């Protein structure tokens, strides 16, 4: 069967009445946004179709198929399209093929879909030829046949179908059923691009930018990116914006870049949305706008952009200028983790480990952290080492813990230096080796790790694994103390108190005792209490002494418990209170303190 496209009836002349009715029906169809006009158009088209008017049959079938796409009308739509197709109306053949391919109004039948599409293609309908090319290229409806795909695509391309020209370029560029042919790929891509096909314009831009197929020319690349961008291709808008922002082949233009990022983002381009978010959230942005930044960050995250999901997770976890919400943080880390993001798996694992925003679950925590560690994600290697060290989500395993710590340390994860050093110092999970312990502590200290500086200071002060040097120890204690390390602050206080590695200075000693005490160091709290009680380097203040003794005693420091009991026993700074005396002596006695044990006996 040969199909044809003609608004005039074939075989007998149209009556003036039919022509007028057809004109009226088309008028109502053009204004079909009004429901009444759609019904009027259907009325006149149906009247003409029932009189065997071929074009009216086709338009009626198309309206029923697309304008009223419900089961009630699909069967009638297919019937009228079939009637028009049987009378040789080419476009009806094309749309009837679609009905059979998708089972709209007829039983799905791929054979008939191909049959009617082929009839339309052989009649010269370019969109049918292009569709046949796609069918044979993809091999979804028919067996793949690259030669048939190329032949049909070429027929449509020669009719200036720019979609077919673009597809034909891909066929020659990728060698689908033919030898790769750069010259023909460029020829057909230019034909399509010059007709305004945005994907073709984008491909030409890529070829010029990368120097693939075409000579490298960034200026021409940017012009084609601009053309594709103006034609609404979001990926082109995104890449062009990157080039404008970074000054690639063009003077940098932040304002213009943001304009194109916004156009791409408005179309749902997730990466553009994410970069816009970073721009508006940045403190360095001249137009910082946290509200816009969060809106774009959320949009990118909702579009599945994993970096945005991770960033949003951190934003809610840390309360970065939003109310801290660990539940929302866990939600976004979960979304990114579902895409295999290592950072997200690690962070979500730690949230389950600490019960932050989610129920505490060590087994799930270990499982998530292991996923990231399996990809050699360094922070996860360290965290997994901690899980094995403390037996979280499984039994304690110091050997495996050391293995993970060492792997993280070899990746220069500074916290892992400390764990490796401690393992060598204590012989936990590995043989004890004081020199290696000192080496790793020093490595951590030099990398700025406060615990490493503190521990290396101890090693240097005592000469364990290295040469003793109290002055150098003071330097490392000071560095750690400046970072707020209570242990280092306490050791500095001791050094100034007793003149170890420096001249004795009680003002400095009291300063560092107080810093360490405020940081929760129970030894410093006790010593500060002693200084307050005995007037060492300052006036006696029993009220403050009782305060620091209490802080230290409640932390379990035995000497503070004994001193506090003694104060209540003697009424020093507090009223005498035998019950409280017994309470604190008992606490100290429970820890094996002989003085407290004897004192309790004498009280009872």
């Amino acid at each position: 069967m040969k199909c044809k496209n003609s608004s005039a009836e074939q075989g007998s002349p149209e009556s003036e009445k039919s022509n007028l009715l057809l004109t009226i029906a088309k008028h109502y169809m053009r204004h079909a946004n009004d429901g009444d006009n759609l019904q009027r158009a259907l009325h006149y088209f149906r009247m003409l179709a029932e009189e065997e008017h071929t074009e009216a049959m086709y338009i009626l079938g198309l309206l029923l198929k697309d304008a009223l796409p419900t089961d009630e009308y699909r069967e009638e739509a297919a019937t009228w399209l079939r009637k028009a197709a049987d009378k040789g109306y080419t476009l009806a053949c094309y749309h009837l093929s679609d009905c059979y391919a998708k089972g709209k109004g007829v039983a799905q039948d791929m054979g008939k879909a191909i049959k009617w599409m082929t009839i339309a293609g052989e009649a010269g309908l370019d969109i049918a030829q292009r569709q046949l090319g796609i069918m044979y290229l993809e091999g979804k409806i028919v067996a793949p046949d690259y030669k048939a795909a190329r032949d049909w695509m070429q027929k449509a391309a020669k009719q200036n179908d720019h979609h077919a020209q673009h597809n034909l370029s891909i066929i020659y560029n990728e060698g689908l059923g033919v030898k790769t042919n750069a010259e023909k790929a460029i020829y057909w891509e230019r034909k399509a691009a010059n007709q305004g096909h945005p994907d073709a314009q984008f491909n030409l831009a890529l070829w010029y930018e990368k120097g693939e197929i075409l000579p490298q020319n960034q200026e021409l690349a940017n012009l084609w990116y601009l053309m594709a961008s103006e034609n609404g291709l979001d990926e082109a808008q995104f890449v062009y914006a990157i080039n404008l922002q970074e000054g690639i082949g063009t003077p940098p233009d932040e304002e213009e870049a943001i304009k194109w990022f916004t156009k791409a983002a408005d179309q749902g381009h997730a990466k553009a949305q994410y970069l816009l978010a970073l721009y508006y959230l940045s403190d360095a942005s001249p137009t910082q706008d946290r509200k816009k930044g969060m809106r774009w960050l959320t949009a990118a995250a909702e579009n599945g952009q994993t970096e945005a999901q991770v960033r949003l997770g951190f934003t809610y976890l840390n309360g970065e200028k939003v109310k801290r919400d660990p539940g929302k943080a866990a939600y976004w880390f979960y979304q990114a983790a579902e895409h295999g993001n290592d950072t997200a798996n690690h962070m979500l694992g730690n949230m389950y480990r600490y019960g932050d925003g989610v129920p505490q679950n060590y087994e799930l925590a270990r499982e998530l952290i292991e996923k990231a560690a399996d990809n050699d994600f360094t922070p996860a290697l360290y965290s997994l080492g901690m899980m094995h060290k403390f037996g979280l989500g499984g039994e304690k395993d110091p050997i495996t813990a050391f293995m993970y710590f060492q792997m993280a340390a070899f990746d220069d994860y500074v916290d892992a230096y400390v764990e490796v050093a401690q393992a060598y110092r204590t012989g936990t999970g590995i043989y004890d080796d004081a020199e290696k312990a000192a080496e790793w502590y020093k490595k951590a200290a030099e990398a700025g790790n406060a615990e490493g500086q503190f521990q290396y200071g101890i090693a240097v002060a005592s000469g364990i694994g290295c040469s003793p040097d109290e002055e150098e120890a003071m330097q490392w204690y000071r560095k750690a103390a400046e970072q707020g390390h209570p242990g280092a602050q306490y050791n500095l206080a001791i050094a100034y108190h007793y003149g170890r590695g420096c001249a004795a200075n009680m003002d400095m000693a009291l300063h560092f005792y107080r810093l360490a005490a405020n940081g929760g160091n129970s030894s410093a709290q006790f010593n500060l209490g002693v200084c307050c009680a005995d007037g060492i380097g300052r006036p006696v203040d029993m009220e403050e002494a009782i305060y620091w003794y209490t802080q230290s005693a409640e932390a379990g420091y035995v000497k503070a418990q004994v001193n506090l009991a003694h104060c209540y026993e003697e009424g020093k700074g507090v009223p005498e209170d035998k019950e409280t005396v017994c309470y604190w002596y008992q606490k100290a006695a429970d820890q094996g303190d002989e003085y407290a044990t004897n004192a309790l006996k004498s009280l009872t």
Side-chain angles (χ1 to χ4, degrees):
M1 175 187 290
K2 291 185 178 179
C3 279
K4 46 195 173 289
N5 282 325
S6 174
S7 60
E9 289 292 293
Q10 303 299 318
S12 60
E14 290 288 345
S15 67
E16 185 176 353
K17 176 183 175 183
S18 294
N19 286 331
L20 284 171
L21 287 174
L22 185 63
T23 301
I24 291 168
K26 287 181 177 179
H27 169 78
Y28 284 126
M29 183 177 70
R30 284 193 295 271
H31 299 85
N33 287 338
D34 181 331
D36 290 340
N37 283 342
L38 177 59
Q39 293 303 320
R40 291 186 185 104
L42 288 170
H43 168 74
Y44 286 112
F45 281 128
R46 189 176 277 111
M47 183 187 299
L48 288 166
E50 288 171 351
E51 295 177 0
E52 299 296 316
H53 191 293
T54 309
E55 186 179 1
M57 292 175 181
Y58 161 68
I59 297 175
L60 177 60
L62 193 61
L63 277 174
L64 292 168
K65 171 177 172 280
D66 295 333
L68 298 167
T70 63
D71 292 339
E72 180 184 354
Y73 295 103
R74 282 173 177 161
E75 189 173 341
E76 185 185 356
T79 298
W80 287 115
L81 287 172
R82 176 61 187 264
K83 285 178 178 289
D86 284 340
K87 290 171 71 70
Y89 203 85
T90 312
L91 282 168
C93 299
Y94 173 79
H95 286 284
L96 184 60
S97 170
D98 184 62
C99 288
Y100 279 113
K102 297 175 181 175
K104 291 183 176 180
V106 291
Q108 190 176 49
D109 188 327
M110 296 306 180
K112 288 183 178 179
I114 289 293
K115 168 193 166 183
W116 286 108
M117 192 64 75
T118 303
I119 290 170
E122 288 175 344
L125 186 64
D126 56 353
I127 56 173
Q129 293 167 341
R130 184 217 313 155
Q131 191 61 36
L132 284 164
I134 292 170
M135 287 177 175
Y136 283 109
L137 195 63
E138 294 180 344
K140 292 180 180 178
I141 297 177
V142 291
D145 185 334
Y146 289 136
K147 183 181 183 303
R150 183 199 63 198
D151 291 345
W152 281 114
M153 210 68 79
Q154 190 154 296
K155 287 180 180 181
K158 287 180 178 178
Q159 294 196 68
N160 274 334
D161 183 302
H162 62 305
H163 295 293
Q165 291 167 341
H166 170 61
N167 288 338
L168 194 56
S169 172
I170 292 172
I171 287 172
Y172 281 114
N173 185 40
E174 297 183 7
L176 302 177
V178 295
K179 287 184 179 180
T180 55
N181 189 320
E183 186 178 345
K184 286 186 177 181
I186 294 167
Y187 172 81
W188 287 113
E189 205 71 291
R190 282 194 189 283
K191 295 277 280 185
N194 288 331
Q195 289 195 76
H197 194 288
D199 289 315
Q201 294 166 339
F202 182 71
N203 277 358
L204 286 174
L206 283 177
W207 293 346
Y208 275 120
E209 183 169 68
K210 296 179 180 179
E212 296 176 356
I213 301 181
L214 289 166
Q216 202 281 333
N217 187 320
Q218 191 62 51
E219 186 178 1
L220 281 175
N222 284 342
L223 287 174
W224 280 115
Y225 281 136
L226 176 58
M227 290 289 287
S229 297
E230 293 286 4
N231 282 321
L233 187 67
D234 60 349
E235 184 65 16
Q237 293 166 344
F238 173 72
V239 176
Y240 186 52
I242 292 285
N243 290 351
L244 286 166
Q245 189 177 56
E246 299 182 5
I248 300 173
T250 180
D253 190 334
E254 185 84 356
E255 186 177 346
E256 189 73 2
I258 295 304
K259 181 188 92 171
W260 287 110
F261 276 135
T262 304
K263 285 182 179 290
D266 284 338
Q267 294 193 71
H269 193 288
K271 286 185 179 179
Q273 292 169 335
Y274 178 58
L275 290 186
L276 268 182
L278 296 184
Y279 173 78
Y280 285 116
L281 291 171
S282 171
D283 291 334
S285 172
T287 55
Q288 187 185 46
D289 187 329
R290 291 203 62 81
K291 188 175 180 181
K292 273 188 181 179
M294 284 299 292
R295 178 168 65 85
W296 284 121
L297 188 61
T298 303
E302 288 173 345
N303 279 336
Q305 219 281 336
T306 54
E307 289 173 284
Q309 291 167 341
V310 170
R311 175 66 183 264
L312 201 53
F314 278 115
T315 299
Y316 283 115
L317 183 65
N318 299 326
E320 296 172 5
K321 298 185 180 179
V322 296
K323 184 178 179 182
R324 186 175 187 273
D325 191 332
K328 283 186 178 179
Y331 171 81
W332 285 114
F333 284 137
Y334 174 80
Q335 297 302 314
E338 286 289 286
H339 292 95
N341 183 276
D342 291 330
T343 300
N345 272 315
H346 177 235
M347 291 306 301
L348 188 59
N350 276 325
M351 293 185 79
Y352 276 108
R353 175 182 169 186
Y354 296 110
D356 189 13
V358 291
Q360 192 172 55
N361 186 326
Y362 291 135
E363 289 76 16
L364 183 54
R366 181 182 284 203
E367 180 184 328
L368 289 163
I369 292 170
E370 279 178 345
K371 286 183 180 179
D374 286 344
N375 292 325
D376 292 328
F377 185 62
T378 306
L381 294 171
Y382 171 78
S383 293
L384 195 54
M386 297 298 283
M387 300 288 284
H388 283 284
K389 177 180 178 179
F390 294 107
L392 304 178
E395 294 183 1
K396 287 184 180 181
D397 187 344
I399 295 174
T400 302
F402 178 79
M403 177 190 74
Y404 282 117
F405 288 143
Q406 192 169 53
M407 289 170 68
F410 287 153
D411 284 346
D412 290 325
Y413 195 76
V414 177
D415 287 348
Y417 296 163
V418 175
E419 294 298 330
V420 170
Q422 288 178 349
Y424 277 119
R425 178 172 63 84
T426 61
T428 305
I430 190 69
Y431 56 88
D432 61 285
D433 188 323
E435 288 186 9
K436 283 192 175 180
E439 286 174 12
W440 281 105
Y441 279 136
K442 184 178 182 180
K443 197 174 176 69
E446 289 174 343
N449 181 276
E451 181 66 19
Q453 292 165 343
F454 170 60
Q455 294 290 348
Y456 187 58
I458 292 173
V460 171
S462 57
I464 299 175
C466 56
S467 301
D469 188 332
E470 287 190 333
E471 289 186 10
E472 185 183 358
M474 282 285 290
Q475 293 173 13
W476 288 114
Y477 290 150
R478 190 175 298 280
K479 286 179 183 290
E482 287 170 355
Q483 295 191 65
H485 194 290
Q489 292 164 342
Y490 173 71
N491 281 13
L492 271 179
I494 291 293
Y496 280 115
H497 193 156
Y498 298 105
R500 296 173 182 171
C502 61
N505 185 326
M506 275 310 299
D507 287 340
M508 292 297 289
L510 287 168
H511 169 72
F512 282 109
Y513 276 141
R514 190 171 298 279
L515 285 177
N518 285 326
N521 184 281
S522 58
S523 297
Q525 291 166 342
F526 170 72
N527 282 14
L528 188 55
V530 170
C531 290
C532 292
D534 296 348
I536 301 173
R538 53 156 297 151
V540 171
D541 186 337
M542 283 307 301
E543 185 178 350
E544 187 176 357
I546 294 298
Y547 172 79
W548 288 117
Y549 283 154
T550 303
Q551 295 296 309
S552 181
E554 287 177 346
Y557 195 74
V558 173
K559 289 182 180 180
Q561 292 168 342
V562 170
N563 279 20
L564 190 57
H566 186 68
C567 287
Y568 277 103
E569 188 175 17
E570 299 292 329
K572 292 181 179 180
V574 287
E576 291 183 18
D577 186 336
K578 185 176 180 181
E579 185 178 346
T580 304
V581 172
C582 291
Y583 174 82
W584 285 115
Y585 276 144
Q586 185 65 59
K587 286 284 188 183
D590 289 344
Q591 295 189 69
D593 186 84
E594 187 177 348
Y595 178 87
T597 302
N598 293 330
L600 273 175
K601 288 177 181 178
S602 66
L603 286 170
T604 56

